[in-house]
């Protein structure tokens, strides 16, 4: 059995939207209450040990007594929120992330998770506890026990469910073939079989339209902030907030829409690419990303490439597990200077050298394909 995740677009009716939004609210409330409590606790005695998610769960019944409307919440969702909060706290203490923030009703993205009462009733309907049977589209028919689902509202106003199921491995036919892949910047992926997959800058394709709205967003944010400052200055009883400015909200939504489009295009491209690999090969070998100096990038192209590499690795990891194939990470050695045919070390080849001939066995090499072949042979 393996865990498999996939995303569905949900089409909740009005009553269901209301119920989902309520659950966002319940979970936001719990998050904020627990976060406030953790902060106070820390202020009172910085030495005390951090509570666990389990400790927080034990506080839920008391909170439900104090705030009876919380009983309408999907109860496993509140536990998930506690676990998320403790996770965020731990990340902060390890220095991996900023301090957890309070969540606002006005933040355009909302989500909650739950673990119980989730079932596919047919090919287009998903039953969610406390919400009802919701129509969905997308995603293959997945058989298996649903472990959890995260319901999300995007900044563009769409509802999605990220479903995690426990399912049987769907073995793809064995091909008897292995491949090495080299990851790069101008060519995203080069295989030892000689195929180059270019980097496609989906962000550039939409840059003009996105920029048009980004400029408007910046201007409208500034205007709104000035008016808010006036409200405060004039002691208006209920000063406006950013979310009260319709023009600003519209621009924010348009920028989010372009970001979503770019992200979807990237994801589709990488999905097709990794699917092709697991279909064609039984073993996929790639470089350990640690050796690729992920942190030393200041250029956008480089940052985008690094993100794509991580996503390729993530997708290959679960696709190989799911389809019964094998992903091997190797720590390659001198991939661009060793001849993949005879092993001769030709010394450093500066980046501008795209091809070279091995002085020992006279094989002509494409720099990147040779590197991919060395990765295939690496261990
Ligand atoms: Zn050679």
């Amino acid at each position: 059995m393996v865990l498999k995740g996939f995303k569905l677009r949900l089409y909740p009716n009005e009553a269901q939207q209301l119920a989902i939004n309520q659950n966002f609210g319940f979970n936001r409330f719990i998050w904020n209450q627990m976060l406030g409590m953790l902060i106070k606790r820390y202020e009172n005695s910085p030495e005390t040990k951090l509570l666990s998610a389990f400790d927080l769960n034990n506080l839920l019944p008391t909170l439900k007594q104090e705030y009876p409307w919380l009983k309408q919440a999907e109860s496993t969702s509140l536990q998930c929120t506690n676990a998320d909060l403790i996770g965020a706290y731990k990340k902060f203490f390890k220095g991996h992330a900023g301090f957890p923030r309070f969540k606002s009703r006005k933040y355009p993205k909302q989500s909650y998770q739950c673990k119980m009462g989730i079932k596919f009733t047919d090919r287009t309907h998903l039953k969610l506890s406390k919400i009802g049977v919701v129509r969905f589209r997308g995603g293959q028919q997945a058989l298996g026990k649903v472990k959890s689902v995260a319901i999300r509202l995007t900044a563009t106003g769409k509802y999605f469910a990220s479903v995690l199921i426990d399912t049987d491995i769907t073995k793809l036919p064995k091909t008897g073939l292995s491949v090495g892949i080299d990851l790069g910047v101008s060519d995203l992926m080069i295989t030892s079989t000689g195929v180059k997959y270019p980097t496609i800058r989906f962000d550039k394709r939409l840059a003009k339209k996105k920029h048009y709205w980004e400029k408007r967003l910046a201007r409208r944010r500034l205007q709104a902030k000035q008016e808010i400052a006036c409200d405060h200055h004039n002691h208006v009883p209920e000063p406006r907030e950013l979310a009260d400015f319709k023009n600003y909200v519209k621009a924010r939504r348009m920028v989010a829409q372009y970001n979503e489009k770019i992200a979807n295009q990237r994801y589709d491209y990488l999905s097709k690419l990794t699917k092709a690999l697991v279909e064609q090969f039984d073993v996929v070998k790639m470089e350990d990303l640690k050796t690729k100096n992920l942190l030393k990038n200041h250029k956008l192209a480089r940052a985008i490439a690094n993100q794509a590499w991580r996503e390729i690795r993530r997708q290959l990891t679960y696709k190989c597990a799911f389809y019964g194939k094998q992903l091997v990470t190797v720590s390659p050695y001198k991939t661009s200077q060793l001849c993949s045919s005879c092993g001769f070390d030709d010394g450093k080849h500066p980046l501008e050298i795209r091809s070279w001939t091995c002085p020992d066995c006279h094989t002509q090499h494409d720099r990147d394909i040779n590197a991919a072949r060395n990765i295939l042979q690496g261990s």
Side-chain angles (χ1 to χ4, degrees):
M1 298 293 267
V2 284
L3 287 179
K4 189 179 191 218
F6 50 92
K7 203 161 115 177
L8 307 169
R9 170 91 188 264
L10 294 180
Y11 296 91
N13 63 30
E14 247 173 73
Q16 290 170 340
Q17 282 184 30
L18 196 70
I20 290 173
N21 293 344
Q22 267 182 341
N23 272 288
F24 291 150
F26 298 145
N27 282 284
R28 238 178 9 242
F29 179 80
I30 289 299
W31 173 281
N32 290 342
Q33 286 281 315
M34 296 294 185
L35 178 56
M37 187 270 296
L38 288 175
I39 292 171
K40 282 234 171 66
R41 194 177 130 92
Y42 181 76
E43 282 168 357
N44 292 338
S45 46
E47 311 302 315
T48 50
K49 217 172 129 248
L50 178 63
L51 294 177
S52 67
F54 185 76
D55 297 324
L56 298 189
N57 290 345
N58 284 335
L59 299 171
L60 288 174
T62 329
L63 273 170
K64 281 180 183 172
Q65 269 178 353
E66 200 173 334
Y67 306 96
W69 44 265
L70 267 180
K71 288 177 190 155
Q72 297 170 51
E74 209 293 310
S75 60
T76 59
S77 73
L78 304 181
Q79 292 167 4
C80 291
T81 292
N82 285 340
D84 280 353
L85 176 61
I86 295 301
Y89 234 83
K90 283 186 179 155
K91 262 192 201 157
F92 167 72
F93 281 116
K94 281 183 191 156
H96 297 326
F99 193 77
R101 287 205 276 182
F102 288 100
K103 295 192 173 177
S104 159
R105 179 174 62 83
K106 295 191 172 173
Y107 190 65
K109 290 187 214 172
Q110 299 284 340
S111 69
Y112 79 93
Q113 272 188 69
C114 54
K115 295 194 162 170
M116 295 281 277
I118 314 151
K119 218 179 109 187
F120 285 96
T121 56
D122 62 34
R123 287 176 153 271
T124 52
H125 289 88
L126 177 66
K127 183 173 179 286
L128 295 166
S129 165
K130 306 252 176 179
I131 308 293
V133 178
V134 184
R135 189 168 70 84
F136 70 83
R137 231 168 64 183
Q140 59 282 68
Q141 175 73 359
L143 296 168
K145 190 176 168 354
V146 181
K147 300 281 282 183
S148 73
V149 62
I151 313 285
R152 290 201 171 80
L153 174 65
T154 67
T156 54
K158 295 175 191 149
Y159 289 89
F160 286 95
S162 299
V163 186
L164 198 63
I165 58 166
D166 208 352
T167 184
D168 286 324
I169 292 172
T170 317
K171 283 207 169 116
L172 278 174
K174 292 275 187 241
T175 60
L177 299 172
S178 302
V179 70
I181 57 172
D182 185 35
L183 300 173
V185 177
S186 64
D187 278 320
L188 177 63
M189 185 171 98
I190 302 97
T191 71
S192 54
T193 50
V195 184
K196 295 184 174 182
Y197 295 87
T199 291
I200 304 176
R201 288 291 298 270
F202 296 105
D203 58 321
K204 277 193 183 164
R205 289 185 176 178
L206 287 172
K208 234 180 166 177
K209 290 176 180 165
K210 188 180 142 187
H211 188 58
Y212 173 91
W213 283 106
E214 275 174 340
K215 277 192 303 193
R216 260 151 202 77
L217 177 61
R219 199 166 58 223
R220 290 172 185 177
R221 181 189 283 128
L222 194 70
Q223 278 170 358
K225 283 204 164 157
Q226 283 165 349
E227 292 190 34
I228 291 168
C230 282
D231 283 0
H232 283 281
H233 183 76
N234 297 331
H235 302 288
V236 174
E238 275 186 51
R240 285 169 292 177
E241 294 179 40
L242 273 178
D244 297 323
F245 291 83
K246 280 212 178 83
N247 274 338
Y248 163 79
V249 171
K250 160 114 201 264
R252 187 172 65 179
R253 186 176 268 230
M254 290 305 290
V255 171
Q257 235 157 39
Y258 283 111
N259 284 333
E260 189 178 278
K261 221 175 213 162
I262 294 164
N264 286 344
Q265 288 174 343
R266 274 190 191 137
Y267 182 82
D268 287 345
Y269 181 55
L270 298 183
S271 295
K272 287 200 184 105
L273 196 143
T274 53
K275 184 77 193 283
L277 286 179
V278 294
E279 277 171 351
Q280 292 171 42
F281 304 100
D282 292 349
V283 180
V284 180
K285 286 193 172 185
M286 69 183 289
E287 253 179 290
D288 190 346
L289 291 185
K290 273 183 225 139
T291 61
K292 289 191 82 89
N293 273 336
L294 285 183
L295 294 175
K296 282 189 207 151
N297 58 77
H298 304 292
K299 288 208 172 128
L300 183 61
R302 187 67 211 224
I304 287 174
N306 292 352
Q307 208 186 14
W309 300 344
R310 285 198 198 90
E311 180 61 17
I312 287 173
R313 186 188 50 191
R314 192 190 71 81
Q315 290 189 10
L316 282 175
T317 304
Y318 82 77
K319 283 184 184 171
C320 284
F322 186 68
Y323 293 114
K325 303 293 178 104
Q326 204 190 347
L327 176 68
V328 181
T329 46
V330 298
S331 312
Y333 177 66
K334 295 182 179 174
T335 52
S336 55
Q337 66 188 68
L338 293 179
C339 167
S340 59
S341 300
C342 71
F344 181 80
D345 187 344
D346 194 36
K348 270 216 159 92
H349 297 125
L351 257 179
E352 66 272 15
I353 303 289
R354 302 314 302 169
S355 60
W356 53 285
T357 305
C358 172
D360 206 38
C361 71
H362 308 295
T363 309
Q364 275 206 336
H365 288 301
D366 172 285
R367 177 199 181 90
D368 298 327
I369 297 171
N370 180 61
R373 290 194 178 135
N374 280 327
I375 289 170
L376 175 62
Q377 290 161 21
S379 54

